[in-house]
Amino acid sequence: MYRLLRAPFQPVTYSRWLHLCVPLLLLAIWMFVMPEWPWGPMLLILPFGLVPWVRLAEGLQAQFLLTPYDRGSADGVISLAPSAHWGDRWRTVVWLETRMVIATGAMAATVWMPVLTVDLVASALGYSPEPGPLAALVPEHRWVAALLAPVPLIVLMVVVVLLGELVTAIATRLLGPSAAERLSALEARTEQLLERTRIARELHDSIGHALTVAVVQAGAARAAGDPVFTDRALSAIEETGRAALEDLERVLGVLRESGQQPSQRPTLAEADRLLESARASGSEVDARLTGPLEKLPGPVTREGYRILQESLTNVLRHCGPVPVRVRVEMEVDRLEMEVTNALPTRPAVTPGGGSGLRGIRERAALLGGQAESGPYEGGWRVRARLPLERIR
């Protein structure tokens, strides 16, 4: 009851009313040309429902008029695509026929209820109603006619609200996405969520590496008290900060979905800047990268870069500026990565633990590879193996 009382003040009531009246334009033209065949439009619209683009037009009209202020729930409920299969075409045919029938009822109420109200008002003022099919509904007593005058308008509003909800419910069933479209939308949504998860992980790796390098280098520069070393450390902090800002700008561009082409993610071919950052932090880095790394598949070289970045970040974060050995070797069917570091006398945190190693394992698992860490030759080692065959 409250919904009916509120309906006259809601714009969606009138937009649905308009949607119900649109098919009657065809009927009005038809009745002007061939009034002896009032059901002619029902046959005329049959072949139009089989045209693929009619479903798109009906979907746009239904979403715009039936759910104009509730687009969030309309997305995925009313399809905005042409008919892809015969099932969609036949559903469109049924929709057109059903819409015509409901529109006829709505138009009858729209025309006759105001006419009845005018007759009741005229009778209440002492005038005789015009002869017609509704004249029998007008009472003889003027005071009764005065009391009943608002009733037809109330009935009209109730009919419009109920038929509007009915046609909206039918539209979601007949113009809704097919099973194939729902599956495609679900896959797209899943890919979007996976992409956002990957972006969040990359942002963690990039910003975490930059902050770790900056903290370690700033602490080393303050402890050294050497202007030359301090200048070199500040330069390294600046370079690392610029790289982190580039990654941040790329990530924010993707999250905003602005349509702009983001900068490319770094690859193992750019691993030198990671090694230089570690060296500038005071670590002695023994690096050996073998094989044509520039020919690695895109996913492998990008994830490999992040694995190396996170491994070096873990060393600096948990062990400080200790000697590090880096081995990256591209073989025929896989990419082998190994980062080994010495342990400090009193490590603040267990090296290699926490979210860093978990992120490395997740990246390796996404490519069908594996990663592990543990003590090795008095130090700590992180190893990752990424397959190449299944990526190509």
Side-chain angles (χ1 to χ4, degrees):
M1 180 61 68
Y2 176 71
R3 184 171 55 183
L4 292 176
L5 295 176
R6 193 178 55 178
F9 307 99
Q10 292 183 326
V12 69
T13 301
Y14 302 96
S15 65
R16 289 177 177 176
W17 196 350
L18 177 60
H19 183 272
L20 291 171
C21 294
V22 168
L24 274 301
L25 296 176
L26 174 62
L27 180 59
I29 297 174
W30 180 269
M31 292 299 293
F32 181 78
V33 178
M34 300 185 67
E36 66 276 7
W37 295 94
W39 298 103
M42 301 292 291
L43 300 177
L44 184 63
I45 61 178
L46 280 174
F48 285 95
L50 301 178
V51 178
W53 290 100
V54 171
R55 183 166 180 258
L56 172 61
E58 289 294 319
L60 288 170
Q61 187 180 155
Q63 189 178 91
F64 183 73
L65 294 176
L66 297 181
T67 55
Y69 303 101
D70 196 15
R71 296 295 177 83
S73 62
D75 292 342
V77 176
I78 297 178
S79 177
L80 299 180
S83 300
H85 308 283
W86 279 103
D88 295 338
R89 297 176 184 178
W90 288 117
R91 286 198 299 163
T92 305
V93 171
V94 174
W95 159 253
L96 292 176
E97 298 290 343
T98 304
R99 182 184 179 189
M100 182 66 74
V101 172
I102 298 177
T104 302
M107 182 55 68
T110 301
V111 172
W112 293 114
M113 291 299 101
V115 171
L116 180 57
T117 298
V118 172
D119 289 344
L120 290 172
V121 172
S123 178
L125 295 176
Y127 297 97
S128 298
E130 295 292 335
L134 300 180
L137 300 177
V138 179
E140 296 180 359
H141 301 285
R142 296 174 58 182
W143 65 271
V144 177
L147 290 176
L148 295 179
V151 173
L153 297 181
I154 297 175
V155 172
L156 173 60
M157 183 57 60
V158 172
V159 170
V160 169
V161 172
L162 295 180
L163 290 183
E165 293 185 356
L166 176 62
V167 76
T168 302
I170 295 175
T172 58
R173 295 295 300 272
L174 298 179
L175 296 180
S178 62
E181 290 174 335
R182 291 182 185 276
L183 180 60
S184 177
L186 180 61
E187 291 177 348
R189 178 60 177 168
T190 302
E191 291 180 0
Q192 183 183 30
L193 291 177
L194 290 175
E195 177 67 11
R196 289 181 179 272
T197 301
R198 182 190 62 78
I199 289 174
R201 186 169 55 241
E202 282 209 10
L203 188 60
H204 165 270
D205 293 348
S206 178
I207 302 302
H209 174 76
L211 292 177
T212 300
V213 169
V215 170
V216 172
Q217 290 177 342
R222 183 178 61 180
D226 184 358
V228 177
F229 182 84
T230 300
D231 183 68
R232 186 168 66 249
L234 291 175
S235 299
I237 291 175
E238 180 183 8
E239 181 181 355
T240 304
R242 289 182 184 276
L245 286 176
E246 291 178 2
D247 286 343
L248 180 60
E249 181 181 1
R250 176 182 59 81
V251 169
L252 293 179
V254 174
L255 292 177
R256 285 194 301 264
E257 298 178 348
S258 59
Q260 301 178 357
Q261 291 294 332
S263 58
Q264 295 296 324
R265 294 170 56 194
T267 66
L268 276 177
E270 306 170 60
D272 286 344
R273 70 179 187 179
L274 294 178
L275 303 177
E276 290 302 322
S277 295
R279 292 189 180 103
S281 301
S283 296
E284 296 180 4
V285 180
D286 175 18
R288 188 177 67 194
L289 288 72
T290 59
L293 300 180
E294 67 280 357
K295 296 183 179 180
L296 283 170
V300 174
T301 187
R302 290 191 293 266
E303 299 301 329
Y305 179 92
R306 293 305 186 190
I307 290 175
L308 178 59
Q309 181 183 57
E310 187 63 26
S311 299
L312 294 175
T313 301
N314 285 340
V315 173
L316 295 174
R317 180 184 299 152
H318 302 303
C319 301
V322 297
V324 182
R325 185 181 67 188
V326 176
R327 297 291 183 266
V328 178
E329 183 177 358
M330 176 182 175
E331 300 184 2
V332 177
D333 59 343
R334 65 183 183 274
L335 176 69
E336 295 280 355
M337 302 183 65
E338 180 179 295
V339 177
T340 307
N341 63 275
L343 296 179
T345 305
R346 294 181 179 178
V349 184
T350 303
S355 61
L357 180 59
R358 183 166 59 249
I360 292 174
R361 288 172 177 166
E362 290 176 355
R363 291 182 181 279
L366 286 175
L367 299 179
Q370 57 185 1
E372 59 184 8
S373 67
Y376 179 75
E377 296 182 356
W380 194 266
R381 180 178 67 176
V382 176
R383 294 185 62 185
R385 175 179 296 178
L386 307 180
L388 302 181
E389 291 298 330
R390 66 179 63 186
I391 303 298
R392 289 170 175 160

